[in-house]
Amino acid sequence: MAVVSLGRLIVRAASSAAVAAAGHAAYNARIVRVPPEKPDRCPEAVSILLPLRDEASRVAPALRSLLEQQGLDDVEILVLDDCSTDGTAEVVRQVAGEDPRVAVFTGVEPPDRVLGKPHACHQLAERARGSVLVCVDADVVLAPHAVAAAVSLLREARLDAVSPFPRQRADGAGARLVQPLLQWSWLVLLPLRQAERSPRPSLTAANGQFFLIDAAMLRECGGFLAVGHEVLDDIALMRAVKRAGGRGVVADGSGVAECHMYETWPQLRDGYAKSLWSATGSAPGAVAISAALLGIWVLPAVAALTGSRAGLVGYVAGVAGRVVTARRTRGRVWPDSLAHPVSILALVGLIARSWWARKNGRIAWKNRALRQKETG
């Protein structure tokens, strides 16, 4: 009897946490910063940085969207071919034509214990003349006013860095289960206004798919090489901004940018294997995070199946948090939100796989193995 009572207590506590999390997501969805729909013209010099490695099959839409940017008085688009083997540079030159705003550079291999992307961004930043640097990934397509709107947000909010989180396009069952958790995680868990003011590393979120930083602040915080060994270099750079006394924040960029990260489940699985071990901090941390995820968002659903009213409340709260996130970030609402406990199970499985890959030295990306310091 005591065991049954304890189980009910645990379910009630988990469901209460799920309700609180859904409420927090709803609050964040109201206050999250959003780039303006009709920004003023940007008079500043803006440098758009596009690092590429073996992106011939998908860079064209991204580059075309950069060429179509509006409201910028002075813009340059700097492209780095990071030792590609698939003809990426040729595709870039074909799409860009003779556009004088575009400059294509050939990158060099990163030095020991420096990861490819921050090294590529460093090479581009060294050539940039803009007072604002805009980092964009090859799988991101921007709306025509995206850069001007993001710069407007950066300046009007008096920020030193801003990460407008793109809408995540998810095709296939696996992606539809996992990808929405990217926005869900920070809308549910991160106190956005406090995070904007606080230098605490734990109160930081960012997404390198679309990332703006003041050029002077980038120099102040040590540049891209200062975070060159970090797998999650976007979050590390935002933390570096805070340590330098600056202000940076994640924003809802779903109205100005769309990203299609993975086309297949193996791509998604390997992509998360590269980074989830780092996101969870340590092996004990990964266990604690996984237990919390399972306890708050899976246990109530399981209890609901046995007739628990408290469990049903917790399950509905978890679904509500997903609904709020999807509506705020322009994702699919139904029926995907109903599968939230399954999404959490998939995420926990990916966390476990990421740590297994790290332990066995099997973490690589873009045909580059992550060296020991990068993985431990």
Side-chain angles (χ1 to χ4, degrees), residues 294-311:
L294 294 171
I296 297 173
W297 288 288
V298 176
L299 176 61
V302 173
L305 293 175
T306 68
S308 168
R309 292 181 180 178

Side-chain angles (χ1 to χ4, degrees), residues 184-195:
W184 173 86
S185 62
W186 55 266
L187 273 173
V188 167
L189 301 174
L190 186 68
L192 290 177
R193 284 293 179 265
Q194 184 181 352

Side-chain angles (χ1 to χ4, degrees), residues 12-371:
R12 287 173 183 171
S15 295
S16 296
V19 170
H24 189 244
Y27 173 72
N28 272 343
R30 288 203 317 271
I31 68 164
V32 63
R33 293 196 183 275
V34 181
E37 293 183 6
K38 297 180 179 180
D40 295 333
R41 288 196 66 84
C42 174
E44 293 186 66
V46 175
S47 297
I48 301 177
L49 314 184
L50 182 62
L52 303 173
R53 179 172 171 84
D54 293 335
E55 301 287 6
S57 64
R58 61 179 181 175
V59 68
L63 182 54
R64 289 192 187 101
S65 75
L66 298 181
L67 295 171
E68 293 169 0
Q69 289 303 296
Q70 301 170 2
L72 305 173
D73 289 342
D74 184 2
V75 61
E76 62 178 0
I77 302 171
L78 307 182
V79 182
L80 187 87
D81 178 26
D82 185 15
C83 307
S84 299
T85 59
D86 65 347
T88 293
E90 288 75 10
V91 174
V92 170
R93 293 188 177 97
Q94 182 179 12
V95 173
E98 299 299 322
D99 195 311
R101 298 171 298 173
V102 180
V104 183
F105 305 98
T106 300
V108 298
E109 289 288 345
D112 189 37
R113 296 180 181 175
V114 175
L115 287 173
K117 184 177 178 181
H119 184 246
C121 289
H122 165 72
Q123 293 174 77
L124 289 172
E126 289 287 288
R127 296 174 167 94
R129 58 177 178 79
S131 57
V132 178
L133 305 186
V134 182
C135 301
V136 182
D137 280 358
D139 49 10
V140 174
V141 174
L142 300 182
H145 67 293
V147 173
V151 174
S152 177
L153 174 60
L154 181 81
R155 294 314 190 196
E156 290 178 7
R158 298 183 180 180
L159 300 168
D160 297 285
V162 65
S163 176
F165 212 112
R167 174 179 178 267
Q168 300 297 307
R169 178 180 159 192
D171 300 323
R176 288 174 63 175
L177 279 174
V178 176
Q179 288 300 90
L181 297 180
L182 290 173
Q183 294 104 320
W184 173 86
S185 62
W186 55 266
L187 273 173
V188 167
L189 301 174
L190 186 68
L192 290 177
R193 284 293 179 265
Q194 184 181 352
E196 188 174 312
R197 298 187 297 267
S198 174
R200 290 177 58 188
S202 59
L203 295 179
T204 304
N207 187 338
Q209 295 167 354
F210 187 24
F211 191 105
L212 285 78
I213 185 167
D214 178 83
M217 174 51 68
L218 181 65
R219 292 190 291 270
E220 180 72 18
C221 67
F224 289 104
L225 288 187
V227 297
H229 62 287
E230 299 282 356
V231 172
L232 298 174
D233 56 279
D234 43 12
I235 295 177
L237 183 57
M238 192 70 85
R239 289 173 176 169
V241 167
K242 290 186 173 187
R243 284 195 298 270
R247 295 174 64 230
V249 68
V250 65
D252 174 24
S254 60
V256 297
E258 178 180 280
C259 180
H260 189 193
M261 287 180 70
Y262 306 115
E263 296 180 355
T264 66
W265 174 256
Q267 289 177 357
L268 183 149
R269 178 197 62 205
D270 294 344
Y272 278 89
K274 171 180 69 75
S275 58
L276 280 177
W277 69 268
S278 181
T280 50
S282 65
V287 172
I289 290 169
S290 297
L293 290 169
L294 294 171
I296 297 173
W297 288 288
V298 176
L299 176 61
V302 173
L305 293 175
T306 68
S308 168
R309 292 181 180 178
L312 180 61
V313 170
Y315 166 68
V316 171
V319 171
R322 277 288 293 274
V323 169
V324 167
T325 299
R327 287 180 174 168
R328 172 71 269 182
T329 62
R330 307 189 185 207
R332 287 188 182 93
V333 178
W334 308 111
D336 300 46
S337 299
L338 297 173
H340 185 60
V342 183
S343 294
I344 297 298
L345 285 171
L347 176 60
V348 170
L350 289 170
I351 290 172
R353 190 180 188 280
S354 179
W355 276 97
W356 175 85
R358 177 189 182 272
K359 181 178 180 180
N360 289 279
R362 296 189 178 184
I363 298 179
W365 191 245
K366 296 288 185 180
N367 297 315
R368 282 177 175 148
L370 303 192
R371 302 171 182 85

